[in-house]
Amino acid sequence: MTSRIDVVVIGGGQAGLAAGYHLRRLGLDFVILDAQAGAGGAWQHAWDSLHLFSPAAYSSLPGRPMPNQPGETYPDAAHVVQYLNAYEQRYELPIHRPVQVRGVHRDGPHLCVTSDSGAWLARAVISASGTWWRPFLPTVPGMDLFTGRQLHTVEYRSPTDFAGQRVIVVGGGNSGAQVAADLAYSTELTWVTRRPPRFLADDIDGRALFDTATARRRALDAGAADTGGVGSLGDIVAVPPVREARDAGLLKTSPMFTRLTTNGVEWADGTRADADAVIWCTGFRPALAHLAPLGLRGPRGHIPTDGTQAIGEPRLHLLGYGDWTGPASATLIGVGRAARDAVRQVADLLD
Ligand code: FAD
């Protein structure tokens, strides 16, 4: 069955909901297609101890502030899921679940969105499919030889799964630091990073990051020098558990090893460490496979955009994913503005 509609939003995580809020306000005819069975996008799959890096007041989508979580300055992932669930109900967003979008094709004046539950002929598409679904692992010699457990951040749940084991955590970003801090007390931990970890100042949280990302965008738009943005401040937000483990001297790092062996890892100088598990906290790529038929892929797996609008297909907007689709647009506090701009442009196009 094929339905006709003004706008299809692909993805019902925070970015899709923020788009839905603004589409609703402008009275457009739209649908949100989401592959998950329940509300909350990637937050449903976070590890047990994951907390936001900002207080609730600085983690809100447009229109409805996130309530505080009793007893927690930094809400946990379950609180975010609850908030997103309440948000989509409050605005009666037309979300279809679970619907996996297979592809987006050009079809004359429309974009045809095909899925495992039918097709939609849309005048515009907002893709908000996130990154969690495309974990990135580097290729390291010996990965196929290692007989212990290898997993990516997306599969990590809790330190109890590794109690007493020798665990190697790879990655110097926020996920690597948080997973290492989680494991530091109950495992024999080796934290491996390509360069020494760069902690942000302890008082910098998500709000300060948003302000920094915005200031950089404004400077670039005004033709001023690049301020360096968030990356110039460091790589790791010193959330309380990371700060505590670091201050207790439990977050020492080793440089990246050169290969895996059958029972561990080996560095360039021949030093070896045995391991029961290697956890790859090595990041994500945008989940854009459904847009492949449009032939828009640019460098680093991104689709070149002007703001959120795809340069090669003006009927397509990309929301979330990373700073390349708007300052801090992959954060709760930042996605609202990018969503507002995207929806305004979609409305202009439909006019
Ligand atoms: P997602 O939450 O991934 O939602 C995308 C939705 O699209 C999913 O439901 C997915 O199933 C669906 N989808 C994907 N492909 C398809 C398809 N083909 N068809 C249909 N549906 C599809 N941000 C903050 O603001 N504060 C934080 O403290 C913070 N901490 C983070 C910690 C970690 C470990 C990570 C990874 C990210 C963190 N972020 C944080 C960043 C960001 O807020 C989250 O990544 C957030 O989940 C991004 O929301 P999203 O809507 O863009 O994507």
Side-chain angles (χ1 to χ4, degrees), residues 227-281:
T227 57
V230 169
S232 65
L233 303 176
D235 297 322
I236 300 166
V237 184
V239 292
V242 167
R243 209 181 303 162
E244 280 156 29
R246 181 200 62 193
D247 294 349
L250 297 173
L251 289 187
K252 303 268 186 312
T253 54
S254 303
M256 184 59 191
F257 48 81
T258 46
R259 70 180 188 107
L260 286 93
T261 62
T262 50
N263 55 352
V265 300
E266 185 178 299
W267 281 268
D269 65 1
T271 312
R272 288 182 168 212
D274 289 345
D276 300 300
V278 176
I279 306 181
W280 297 96
C281 300

Side-chain angles (χ1 to χ4, degrees), residues 295-315:
L296 300 169
R297 202 182 138 98
R300 286 177 292 137
H302 295 184
I303 288 178
T305 54
D306 178 7
T308 58
Q309 189 173 40
I311 287 170
E313 175 49 82
R315 295 169 294 183

Side-chain angles (χ1 to χ4, degrees), residues 9-17 33-47 50-54 58-60 74-75 80 84 96-103 114-115 127-133 153-154 174-175 178 206 239 284 287-291 319-322 328-335:
V9 179
I10 301 170
Q14 65 200 35
L17 302 194
L33 308 178
D34 186 36
Q36 298 299 295
W43 295 107
Q44 297 167 84
H45 304 279
W47 59 88
L50 181 67
H51 284 242
L52 290 181
F53 52 62
S54 317
Y58 302 105
S59 306
S60 300
Y74 298 93
V80 182
L84 295 178
H96 295 224
R97 284 196 181 98
V99 176
Q100 179 78 39
V101 170
R102 302 265 184 242
T114 58
S115 81
S127 184
S129 48
T131 59
W132 185 262
W133 326 98
T153 326
V154 296
N174 284 300
S175 305
Q178 289 189 30
V239 292
F284 303 86
L288 298 174
H290 55 286
L291 301 177
L319 200 56
Y321 303 112
S329 71
T331 65
L332 284 152
I333 193 179
V335 72

Side-chain angles (χ1 to χ4, degrees), residues 21-106:
Y21 170 87
H22 286 290
L23 287 162
R24 186 56 104 215
R25 285 194 78 180
L26 294 193
L28 295 177
D29 181 24
F30 71 101
V31 70
I32 300 176
L33 308 178
D34 186 36
Q36 298 299 295
W43 295 107
Q44 297 167 84
H45 304 279
W47 59 88
D48 295 353
S49 69
L50 181 67
H51 284 242
L52 290 181
F53 52 62
S54 317
Y58 302 105
S59 306
S60 300
L61 295 182
R64 190 176 169 85
M66 180 185 286
N68 286 324
Q69 181 176 13
E72 301 282 358
T73 307
Y74 298 93
D76 64 18
H79 186 74
V80 182
V81 171
Q82 247 176 38
Y83 167 69
L84 295 178
N85 197 358
Y87 189 92
E88 56 184 58
Q89 288 177 27
R90 164 75 179 81
Y91 294 108
E92 296 178 350
L93 298 178
I95 304 180
H96 295 224
R97 284 196 181 98
V99 176
Q100 179 78 39
V101 170
R102 302 265 184 242
V104 179
H105 311 255
R106 293 187 183 88

